[in-house]
PDB file of all heavy atoms in Angstrom:
ATOM      1  N   PHE A 150     107.815  85.477 109.007  1.00 97.00           N
ATOM      2  CA  PHE A 150     108.249  85.053 107.681  1.00 97.00           C
ATOM      3  C   PHE A 150     109.755  84.878 107.672  1.00 97.00           C
ATOM      4  O   PHE A 150     110.469  85.482 108.480  1.00 97.00           O
ATOM      5  CB  PHE A 150     107.870  86.093 106.615  1.00 97.00           C
ATOM      6  CG  PHE A 150     106.407  86.409 106.536  1.00 97.00           C
ATOM      7  CD1 PHE A 150     105.843  87.385 107.346  1.00 97.00           C
ATOM      8  CD2 PHE A 150     105.584  85.721 105.656  1.00 97.00           C
ATOM      9  CE1 PHE A 150     104.490  87.681 107.276  1.00 97.00           C
ATOM     10  CE2 PHE A 150     104.230  86.004 105.573  1.00 97.00           C
ATOM     11  CZ  PHE A 150     103.682  86.991 106.382  1.00 97.00           C
ATOM     12  N   THR A 151     110.235  84.075 106.739  1.00 98.00           N
ATOM     13  CA  THR A 151     111.674  84.007 106.483  1.00 98.00           C
ATOM     14  C   THR A 151     111.927  84.493 105.059  1.00 98.00           C
ATOM     15  O   THR A 151     111.137  84.246 104.148  1.00 98.00           O
ATOM     16  CB  THR A 151     112.215  82.569 106.636  1.00 98.00           C
ATOM     17  OG1 THR A 151     111.475  81.686 105.791  1.00 98.00           O
ATOM     18  CG2 THR A 151     112.113  82.105 108.071  1.00 98.00           C
ATOM     19  N   VAL A 152     113.028  85.218 104.910  1.00 98.00           N
ATOM     20  CA  VAL A 152     113.483  85.685 103.601  1.00 98.00           C
ATOM     21  C   VAL A 152     114.668  84.819 103.219  1.00 98.00           C
ATOM     22  O   VAL A 152     115.676  84.778 103.934  1.00 98.00           O
ATOM     23  CB  VAL A 152     113.887  87.173 103.657  1.00 98.00           C
ATOM     24  CG1 VAL A 152     114.462  87.639 102.324  1.00 98.00           C
ATOM     25  CG2 VAL A 152     112.682  88.030 104.050  1.00 98.00           C
ATOM     26  N   CYS A 153     114.544  84.102 102.111  1.00 98.00           N
ATOM     27  CA  CYS A 153     115.545  83.108 101.738  1.00 98.00           C
ATOM     28  C   CYS A 153     116.189  83.459 100.402  1.00 98.00           C
ATOM     29  O   CYS A 153     115.601  84.156  99.564  1.00 98.00           O
ATOM     30  CB  CYS A 153     114.905  81.722 101.630  1.00 98.00           C
ATOM     31  SG  CYS A 153     114.039  81.183 103.124  1.00 98.00           S
ATOM     32  N   ASN A 154     117.404  82.960 100.196  1.00 98.00           N
ATOM     33  CA  ASN A 154     118.076  83.127  98.914  1.00 98.00           C
ATOM     34  C   ASN A 154     117.618  82.043  97.944  1.00 98.00           C
ATOM     35  O   ASN A 154     116.710  81.258  98.238  1.00 98.00           O
ATOM     36  CB  ASN A 154     119.597  83.133  99.101  1.00 98.00           C
ATOM     37  CG  ASN A 154     120.113  81.838  99.725  1.00 98.00           C
ATOM     38  OD1 ASN A 154     119.447  80.806  99.710  1.00 98.00           O
ATOM     39  ND2 ASN A 154     121.319  81.890 100.277  1.00 98.00           N
ATOM     40  N   ALA A 155     118.267  81.969  96.789  1.00 97.00           N
ATOM     41  CA  ALA A 155     117.845  81.020  95.753  1.00 97.00           C
ATOM     42  C   ALA A 155     118.000  79.574  96.205  1.00 97.00           C
ATOM     43  O   ALA A 155     117.297  78.683  95.705  1.00 97.00           O
ATOM     44  CB  ALA A 155     118.643  81.270  94.473  1.00 97.00           C
ATOM     45  N   GLN A 156     118.911  79.328  97.145  1.00 98.00           N
ATOM     46  CA  GLN A 156     119.123  77.969  97.670  1.00 98.00           C
ATOM     47  C   GLN A 156     118.198  77.662  98.845  1.00 98.00           C
ATOM     48  O   GLN A 156     118.338  76.634  99.499  1.00 98.00           O
ATOM     49  CB  GLN A 156     120.584  77.794  98.102  1.00 98.00           C
ATOM     50  CG  GLN A 156     121.587  77.785  96.958  1.00 98.00           C
ATOM     51  CD  GLN A 156     121.805  79.171  96.354  1.00 98.00           C
ATOM     52  OE1 GLN A 156     121.908  80.168  97.081  1.00 98.00           O
ATOM     53  NE2 GLN A 156     121.880  79.243  95.034  1.00 98.00           N
ATOM     54  N   GLU A 157     117.260  78.580  99.122  1.00 97.00           N
ATOM     55  CA  GLU A 157     116.292  78.474 100.213  1.00 97.00           C
ATOM     56  C   GLU A 157     116.958  78.490 101.586  1.00 97.00           C
ATOM     57  O   GLU A 157     116.429  77.931 102.560  1.00 97.00           O
ATOM     58  CB  GLU A 157     115.387  77.246 100.040  1.00 97.00           C
ATOM     59  CG  GLU A 157     114.616  77.252  98.721  1.00 97.00           C
ATOM     60  CD  GLU A 157     113.427  76.315  98.697  1.00 97.00           C
ATOM     61  OE1 GLU A 157     112.664  76.288  99.677  1.00 97.00           O
ATOM     62  OE2 GLU A 157     113.257  75.614  97.673  1.00 97.00           O
ATOM     63  N   GLU A 158     118.120  79.144 101.675  1.00 98.00           N
ATOM     64  CA  GLU A 158     118.788  79.369 102.958  1.00 98.00           C
ATOM     65  C   GLU A 158     118.263  80.668 103.559  1.00 98.00           C
ATOM     66  O   GLU A 158     118.105  81.668 102.864  1.00 98.00           O
ATOM     67  CB  GLU A 158     120.302  79.456 102.761  1.00 98.00           C
ATOM     68  CG  GLU A 158     120.919  78.203 102.170  1.00 98.00           C
ATOM     69  CD  GLU A 158     122.339  78.423 101.682  1.00 98.00           C
ATOM     70  OE1 GLU A 158     122.695  79.577 101.349  1.00 98.00           O
ATOM     71  OE2 GLU A 158     123.095  77.436 101.612  1.00 98.00           O
ATOM     72  N   VAL A 159     117.998  80.661 104.855  1.00 98.00           N
ATOM     73  CA  VAL A 159     117.438  81.842 105.524  1.00 98.00           C
ATOM     74  C   VAL A 159     118.486  82.951 105.598  1.00 98.00           C
ATOM     75  O   VAL A 159     119.597  82.739 106.091  1.00 98.00           O
ATOM     76  CB  VAL A 159     116.947  81.483 106.935  1.00 98.00           C
ATOM     77  CG1 VAL A 159     116.456  82.737 107.666  1.00 98.00           C
ATOM     78  CG2 VAL A 159     115.829  80.447 106.866  1.00 98.00           C
ATOM     79  N   VAL A 160     118.129  84.126 105.089  1.00 98.00           N
ATOM     80  CA  VAL A 160     119.004  85.302 105.132  1.00 98.00           C
ATOM     81  C   VAL A 160     118.496  86.315 106.147  1.00 98.00           C
ATOM     82  O   VAL A 160     119.263  86.894 106.907  1.00 98.00           O
ATOM     83  CB  VAL A 160     119.114  85.948 103.734  1.00 98.00           C
ATOM     84  CG1 VAL A 160     120.006  87.190 103.780  1.00 98.00           C
ATOM     85  CG2 VAL A 160     119.636  84.951 102.711  1.00 98.00           C
ATOM     86  N   LEU A 161     117.180  86.525 106.168  1.00 98.00           N
ATOM     87  CA  LEU A 161     116.553  87.466 107.093  1.00 98.00           C
ATOM     88  C   LEU A 161     115.252  86.861 107.609  1.00 98.00           C
ATOM     89  O   LEU A 161     114.716  85.910 107.037  1.00 98.00           O
ATOM     90  CB  LEU A 161     116.255  88.800 106.390  1.00 98.00           C
ATOM     91  CG  LEU A 161     117.436  89.612 105.850  1.00 98.00           C
ATOM     92  CD1 LEU A 161     116.926  90.787 105.022  1.00 98.00           C
ATOM     93  CD2 LEU A 161     118.325  90.119 106.989  1.00 98.00           C
ATOM     94  N   ARG A 162     114.767  87.441 108.684  1.00 98.00           N
ATOM     95  CA  ARG A 162     113.458  87.072 109.214  1.00 98.00           C
ATOM     96  C   ARG A 162     112.592  88.324 109.330  1.00 98.00           C
ATOM     97  O   ARG A 162     113.123  89.433 109.509  1.00 98.00           O
ATOM     98  CB  ARG A 162     113.591  86.386 110.579  1.00 98.00           C
ATOM     99  CG  ARG A 162     114.370  85.079 110.510  1.00 98.00           C
ATOM    100  CD  ARG A 162     114.434  84.380 111.864  1.00 98.00           C
ATOM    101  NE  ARG A 162     115.269  83.188 111.787  1.00 98.00           N
ATOM    102  CZ  ARG A 162     114.835  81.995 111.405  1.00 98.00           C
ATOM    103  NH1 ARG A 162     113.555  81.841 111.096  1.00 98.00           N
ATOM    104  NH2 ARG A 162     115.650  80.969 111.357  1.00 98.00           N
ATOM    105  N   ILE A 163     111.291  88.136 109.224  1.00 98.00           N
ATOM    106  CA  ILE A 163     110.334  89.237 109.375  1.00 98.00           C
ATOM    107  C   ILE A 163     109.348  88.850 110.461  1.00 98.00           C
ATOM    108  O   ILE A 163     108.814  87.736 110.466  1.00 98.00           O
ATOM    109  CB  ILE A 163     109.587  89.515 108.051  1.00 98.00           C
ATOM    110  CG1 ILE A 163     110.564  89.919 106.952  1.00 98.00           C
ATOM    111  CG2 ILE A 163     108.537  90.615 108.249  1.00 98.00           C
ATOM    112  CD1 ILE A 163     109.922  90.044 105.578  1.00 98.00           C
ATOM    113  N   GLU A 164     109.114  89.773 111.387  1.00 97.00           N
ATOM    114  CA  GLU A 164     108.179  89.512 112.478  1.00 97.00           C
ATOM    115  C   GLU A 164     107.259  90.716 112.639  1.00 97.00           C
ATOM    116  O   GLU A 164     107.712  91.844 112.796  1.00 97.00           O
ATOM    117  CB  GLU A 164     108.929  89.238 113.777  1.00 97.00           C
ATOM    118  CG  GLU A 164     108.028  88.835 114.926  1.00 97.00           C
ATOM    119  CD  GLU A 164     108.804  88.359 116.140  1.00 97.00           C
ATOM    120  OE1 GLU A 164     109.781  87.604 115.954  1.00 97.00           O
ATOM    121  OE2 GLU A 164     108.436  88.743 117.269  1.00 97.00           O
ATOM    122  N   GLY A 165     105.956  90.469 112.586  1.00 94.00           N
ATOM    123  CA  GLY A 165     104.978  91.540 112.702  1.00 94.00           C
ATOM    124  C   GLY A 165     104.388  91.635 114.092  1.00 94.00           C
ATOM    125  O   GLY A 165     104.697  90.834 114.969  1.00 94.00           O
ATOM    126  N   PRO A 166     103.494  92.603 114.292  1.00 93.00           N
ATOM    127  CA  PRO A 166     102.851  92.760 115.598  1.00 93.00           C
ATOM    128  C   PRO A 166     101.715  91.765 115.780  1.00 93.00           C
ATOM    129  O   PRO A 166     101.224  91.162 114.815  1.00 93.00           O
ATOM    130  CB  PRO A 166     102.305  94.204 115.529  1.00 93.00           C
ATOM    131  CG  PRO A 166     102.008  94.402 114.074  1.00 93.00           C
ATOM    132  CD  PRO A 166     103.067  93.626 113.320  1.00 93.00           C
ATOM    133  N   CYS A 167     101.277  91.602 117.007  1.00 86.00           N
ATOM    134  CA  CYS A 167     100.182  90.687 117.305  1.00 86.00           C
ATOM    135  C   CYS A 167      98.892  91.169 116.643  1.00 86.00           C
ATOM    136  O   CYS A 167      98.110  90.374 116.130  1.00 86.00           O
ATOM    137  CB  CYS A 167     100.003  90.573 118.816  1.00 86.00           C
ATOM    138  SG  CYS A 167      98.764  89.356 119.318  1.00 86.00           S
ATOM    139  N   PHE A 168      98.683  92.490 116.644  1.00 82.00           N
ATOM    140  CA  PHE A 168      97.508  93.074 116.005  1.00 82.00           C
ATOM    141  C   PHE A 168      97.971  93.931 114.835  1.00 82.00           C
ATOM    142  O   PHE A 168      98.789  94.838 115.011  1.00 82.00           O
ATOM    143  CB  PHE A 168      96.712  93.920 117.002  1.00 82.00           C
ATOM    144  CG  PHE A 168      96.190  93.135 118.176  1.00 82.00           C
ATOM    145  CD1 PHE A 168      96.832  93.193 119.408  1.00 82.00           C
ATOM    146  CD2 PHE A 168      95.072  92.323 118.045  1.00 82.00           C
ATOM    147  CE1 PHE A 168      96.363  92.468 120.483  1.00 82.00           C
ATOM    148  CE2 PHE A 168      94.601  91.586 119.119  1.00 82.00           C
ATOM    149  CZ  PHE A 168      95.243  91.663 120.334  1.00 82.00           C
ATOM    150  N   THR A 169      97.441  93.655 113.650  1.00 74.00           N
ATOM    151  CA  THR A 169      97.875  94.385 112.453  1.00 74.00           C
ATOM    152  C   THR A 169      96.875  95.462 112.034  1.00 74.00           C
ATOM    153  O   THR A 169      96.880  95.914 110.899  1.00 74.00           O
ATOM    154  CB  THR A 169      98.077  93.403 111.285  1.00 74.00           C
ATOM    155  OG1 THR A 169      96.862  92.681 111.037  1.00 74.00           O
ATOM    156  CG2 THR A 169      99.207  92.426 111.602  1.00 74.00           C
TER     157      THR A 169
END
Side-chain angles (χ1 to χ4, degrees):
F150 303 87
T151 55
V152 176
C153 304
N154 60 19
Q156 291 73 42
E157 302 198 45
E158 300 166 335
V159 176
V160 179
L161 297 172
R162 298 183 184 274
I163 299 173
E164 185 171 317
C167 185
F168 299 101
T169 57

